[in-house]
């Protein structure tokens, strides 16, 4: 069969024109194709509504790659979760750093169900890993120190304590000449000491 | 770490969970094996796609797609309950009126002081 040279850019337009010419619908439905590609995510692989029957639960567990016993949806209280599974509130900090994850920076394998707050539990953000000292101890130390310092500063404001001071004493009869006193007149004697 | 205690913000890691080491019942082992089977299946799918020499496109992660879709489309599953209505009012309605009231009273007070001439109008260069 001979291959006729065809301009690939124009093929789409040609087909569109042909479809419009013999199209059944009118208006927008004539332009929009009634079929769509089979690639991409299918409708039933996307999250749906809260599962009510055990069959729906099993199907949802299979969809999210979880065991049926492990699958636990968020309680159905209208907060917009649908059938998304409720995973443990553990941050990515807690995951094994030495295991060969598919995505090492995220410490996650391909296809693994993601936590609802995955973007919060990243390694750059919230950390739920165990702390070396119990949290109660940490809170006590922090608030103890801060509270003590605040209290002491408050007491310092209430009961100030200074070195004893007096007005500054100037020589030469309280700077009589410098302050513009008459050189002819005798200044009054100022004695700033006591023996 | 034998005396490790959980806290609201510090969970017990799996390596410190005593159930991992003592009293390993067959049910627990079976559960772990099922989970490992699921994980291995996903790993296999990923590795096949990753090492496919004829692959030219990016590997699409359906779990990621589902997560993005779930986060972006909570509206069909929304229902007005006591809690959701309260949250909506607290975050959407109350700040509107509260901030309006606060700003209005503060500005009115300042205007009165300016008119009376009691406001200390500083000439600050920086703000």
């Amino acid at each position: 069969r001979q291959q006729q040279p065809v301009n690939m850019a124009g093929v789409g337009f040609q087909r569109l024109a042909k479809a419009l010419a013999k199209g059944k619908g009118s208006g927008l439905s004539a332009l929009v194709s009634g079929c769509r590609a089979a690639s991409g995510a299918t409708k039933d692989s996307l999250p749906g509504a809260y599962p009510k029957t055990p069959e729906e639960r099993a199907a949802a567990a299979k969809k999210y790659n979880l065991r049926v016993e492990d699958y636990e949806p968020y309680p159905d209280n209208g907060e917009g979760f649908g059938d998304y599974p409720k995973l443990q509130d553990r941050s990515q900090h807690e995951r094994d750093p030495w295991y060969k994850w598919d995505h090492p920076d995220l410490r996650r394998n391909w296809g693994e169900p993601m936590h609802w707050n995955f973007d919060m539990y990243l390694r750059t953000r919230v950390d739920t890993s165990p702390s070396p000292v119990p949290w109660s101890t940490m809170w006590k130390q922090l608030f103890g120190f801060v509270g003590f310092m605040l209290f002491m500063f408050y007491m310092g404001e209430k009961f100030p304590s200074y070195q004893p001071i007096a007005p500054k004493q100037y020589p030469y009869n309280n700077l009589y000449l410098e302050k513009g006193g008459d050189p002819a007149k005798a200044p009054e004697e100022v004695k700033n000491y006591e023996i | 770490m034998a005396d490790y205690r959980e806290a609201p913000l510090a969970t017990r890691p799996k390596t410190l969970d005593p159930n991992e080491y003592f009293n390993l019942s067959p049910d627990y082992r079976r559960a772990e094996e099922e989970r490992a089977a699921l994980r291995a299946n996903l790993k296999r799918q990923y590795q096949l796609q990753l090492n496919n020499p004829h692959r030219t496109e990016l590997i699409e992660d359906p779990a990621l797609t589902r997560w993005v879709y779930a986060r972006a489309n909570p509206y069909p599953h929304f229902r007005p309950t006591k809690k959701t209505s309260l949250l909506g009012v607290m975050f959407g309605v109350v700040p509107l009126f509260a901030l309006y009231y606060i700003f209005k009273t503060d500005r009115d007070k300042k205007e009165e002081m300016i008119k009376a001439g009691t406001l200390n109008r500083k000439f600050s260069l920086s703000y």
Side-chain angles (χ1 to χ4, degrees):
Chain A
R1 208 178 47 158
Q2 266 181 335
Q3 289 262 354
Q4 283 189 331
V6 61
N7 182 8
M8 285 312 291
V11 163
F13 285 114
Q14 283 180 6
R15 294 220 180 119
L16 181 65
K18 275 190 205 153
L20 276 178
K22 64 167 189 237
K24 295 181 196 101
S26 61
L28 191 63
S29 48
L31 286 168
V32 174
S33 166
C35 55
R36 51 185 168 80
S39 58
T42 53
K43 221 25 189 313
D44 61 345
S45 77
L46 289 174
Y50 184 81
K52 295 190 183 64
T53 67
E55 293 88 26
E56 281 179 14
R57 280 185 87 98
K62 188 152 191 293
K63 178 171 71 176
Y64 289 110
N65 290 316
L66 288 169
R67 281 174 70 230
V68 181
E69 296 86 0
D70 287 343
Y71 173 68
E72 185 204 332
Y74 279 96
D76 186 23
N77 50 11
E79 283 177 1
F81 290 110
D83 67 352
Y84 204 81
K86 181 170 182 199
L87 302 163
Q88 282 192 321
D89 288 338
R90 302 274 172 107
S91 115
Q92 304 300 91
H93 283 91
E94 291 198 24
R95 300 216 174 176
D96 188 357
W98 299 106
Y99 174 76
K100 282 179 105 50
W101 301 100
D102 291 338
H103 306 293
D105 50 339
L106 298 170
R107 288 186 186 166
R108 182 182 164 266
N109 284 322
W110 183 88
E112 189 189 319
M114 296 169 81
H115 194 281
W116 182 268
N117 291 319
F118 178 78
D119 50 351
M120 179 175 81
Y121 285 130
L122 292 179
R123 284 170 64 198
T124 50
R125 293 180 180 177
V126 169
D127 182 4
T128 59
S129 51
S131 49
V133 178
W135 275 83
S136 54
T137 316
M138 289 201 273
W139 282 125
K140 275 186 223 152
Q141 286 182 5
L142 178 68
F143 284 123
F145 176 73
V146 170
F148 174 72
M149 293 309 288
L150 282 173
F151 174 71
M152 289 310 284
F153 275 113
Y154 174 71
M155 296 310 272
E157 286 288 325
K158 266 264 147 44
F159 305 112
S161 123
Y162 302 113
Q163 293 281 357
I165 54 170
K168 188 161 172 61
Q169 298 170 347
Y170 293 96
Y172 302 114
N173 304 320
N174 253 348
L175 298 176
Y176 177 75
L177 287 175
E178 281 81 358
K179 282 194 188 158
D182 194 0
K185 263 200 275 179
E188 55 191 46
E189 289 291 327
V190 177
K191 254 222 254 174
N192 285 328
Y193 55 89
E194 230 177 63
I195 300 173
Chain B
M1 281 237 159
D3 52 351
Y4 177 76
R5 260 178 311 145
E6 288 106 324
L9 293 170
T11 52
R12 181 171 282 271
K14 202 152 189 215
T15 46
L16 286 184
D17 190 359
N19 295 325
E20 282 274 308
Y21 303 105
F22 312 118
N23 311 327
L24 278 176
S25 63
D27 287 331
Y28 186 81
R29 288 188 199 209
R30 200 171 304 125
E32 282 297 319
E33 272 171 32
E34 280 177 24
R35 285 184 206 126
L38 281 168
R39 265 201 305 267
N41 187 23
L42 289 171
K43 275 272 192 193
R44 184 182 145 272
Q45 284 180 33
Y46 180 62
Q47 290 293 331
L48 279 175
Q49 284 180 289
L50 186 68
N51 300 321
N52 182 6
H54 300 296
R55 175 177 65 90
T56 53
E57 66 277 345
L58 292 172
I59 305 177
E60 181 202 341
D61 188 353
L64 182 69
T65 317
R66 277 192 288 270
W67 178 71
V68 170
Y69 183 87
R71 282 283 292 260
N73 299 307
Y75 313 107
H77 312 295
F78 173 79
R79 252 187 4 250
T81 65
K82 280 205 291 273
K83 182 172 170 193
T84 56
S85 322
L86 184 69
L87 281 172
V89 164
M90 233 169 53
F91 281 99
V93 177
V94 165
L96 192 64
F97 289 102
L99 286 173
Y100 169 80
Y101 175 74
I102 290 169
F103 287 135
K104 191 91 173 53
T105 47
D106 186 46
R107 289 289 176 125
D108 286 343
K109 225 183 289 175
K110 200 165 167 196
E111 184 67 27
E112 271 177 38
M113 278 169 68
I114 291 172
K115 288 206 174 115
T118 51
L119 185 66
N120 176 20
R121 309 205 81 167
K122 290 184 287 213
F123 180 60
S124 22
L125 282 168
S126 53
Y127 91 84

